[in-house]
Amino acid sequence: MDPKRQAGEEAVKLVEDGMLVGLGTGSTAYWAIMDVGRRVKEGLKITAVPTSIRSEELALSLGIPLIPLDGIPPGGIDLTIDGADEADGELNLIKGGGGALLREKIIASHSKRLVIVADASKEVKTLGQFPLPVEIVPFGFKLTMGRLEALGGHPALRLTEGDEPYVTDNGNYIADCRFGVIEDAEALEKTLNLIPGVVENGLFVGMAERIVVGCEDGNVSVRERVRRG
């Protein structure tokens, strides 16, 4: 079985009747949503909130009941299952390769539990091999990218196949930044979000509870974040 599918289906075992579930975005989260849909058809009683238009359309096609995010209290989402582009030893993440980082972070921040699904290639010792997505507003975007360059980010504007700026579900652009090895993800996350024109960045620090990894040998490994203090 595809390692991504294995990871997604293993994580869905955590979903129980009555839960409000956050549905992630990406190639591994896709399999989680597919399995949630299967279980809903078999009688699972849940509601869900998607992290992107793509995930919303997939969920609706599978008959998964959706509710709008508006009105959900902080911490009101029981469990969110989402993917990641990188996860380090402390389960700090780089996300946003699929372009949904802003909605993903909003939903993760309102979730009691964030479970990451991935294949083994996404586990790294230190973040930074994958370009860090930074969502920026179109107005003055070249100036914003200049600030990212000054930080050492070497930003590249994400483009479509037609060489037009990629536009997120929220109408923004994405600058993919290469900072190299990110030694202090928490500090960089805060610094980036202080730049006028930056909406959000793809560093998810201290948010994930566990990562479920599908392996090529058919096994699934689960690693939980070590809580300090």
Side-chain angles (χ1 to χ4, degrees):
M1 185 185 291
D2 184 333
K4 294 182 178 182
R5 181 172 182 176
Q6 287 177 299
E9 293 182 356
E10 182 67 24
V12 171
K13 293 177 182 178
L14 299 170
V15 178
E16 300 176 354
D17 276 333
M19 279 187 169
L20 173 56
V21 181
L23 302 177
T25 298
S27 58
T28 312
Y30 164 86
W31 288 111
I33 297 172
M34 291 292 290
D35 203 45
V36 169
R38 175 189 64 80
R39 289 188 59 193
V40 166
K41 288 180 180 178
E42 293 176 352
L44 178 69
K45 304 297 183 184
I46 63 158
T47 50
V49 288
T51 58
S52 67
I53 292 174
R54 281 172 294 163
S55 294
E56 179 180 357
E57 291 173 345
L58 177 60
L60 288 172
S61 74
L62 296 170
I64 300 172
L66 302 181
I67 62 173
L69 190 62
D70 294 347
I72 295 174
I77 300 171
D78 296 294
L79 170 68
T80 290
I81 301 173
D82 206 349
D85 299 299
E86 284 187 347
D88 69 12
E90 297 184 350
L91 296 195
N92 296 319
L93 315 170
I94 286 181
K95 290 175 52 56
L101 66 97
L102 175 58
R103 295 191 184 193
E104 288 173 334
K105 191 172 279 191
I106 290 173
I107 287 177
S109 71
H110 288 273
S111 301
K112 297 171 185 174
R113 304 169 68 190
L114 172 63
V115 173
I116 298 300
V117 290
D119 60 76
S121 69
K122 302 305 185 350
E123 292 192 293
V124 298
K125 183 178 179 181
T126 308
L127 301 178
Q129 296 180 40
F130 191 91
L132 175 63
V134 179
E135 188 159 342
I136 61 178
V137 297
F139 178 80
F141 75 93
K142 291 184 179 179
L143 296 175
T144 306
M145 290 181 67
R147 295 287 298 274
L148 295 172
E149 179 68 43
L151 280 178
H154 307 292
L157 186 67
R158 188 178 297 186
L159 303 175
T160 66
E161 291 183 358
D163 287 331
E164 296 295 326
Y166 174 90
V167 178
T168 70
D169 288 349
N170 296 84
N172 299 313
Y173 293 166
I174 288 182
D176 290 305
C177 299
R178 293 190 176 275
F179 285 96
V181 174
I182 300 175
E183 297 288 357
D184 191 339
E186 183 176 7
L188 181 58
E189 180 185 27
K190 292 177 180 178
T191 298
L192 288 170
N193 285 351
L194 289 174
I195 297 174
V198 168
V199 180
E200 190 52 83
N201 69 84
L203 286 168
F204 285 53
V205 179
M207 301 184 79
E209 171 191 284
R210 68 178 67 180
I211 181 170
V212 180
V213 179
C215 305
E216 291 291 342
D217 61 6
N219 293 317
V220 174
S221 67
V222 179
R223 182 160 53 87
E224 296 191 3
R225 178 163 58 92
V226 176
R227 300 185 183 276
R228 304 183 184 280

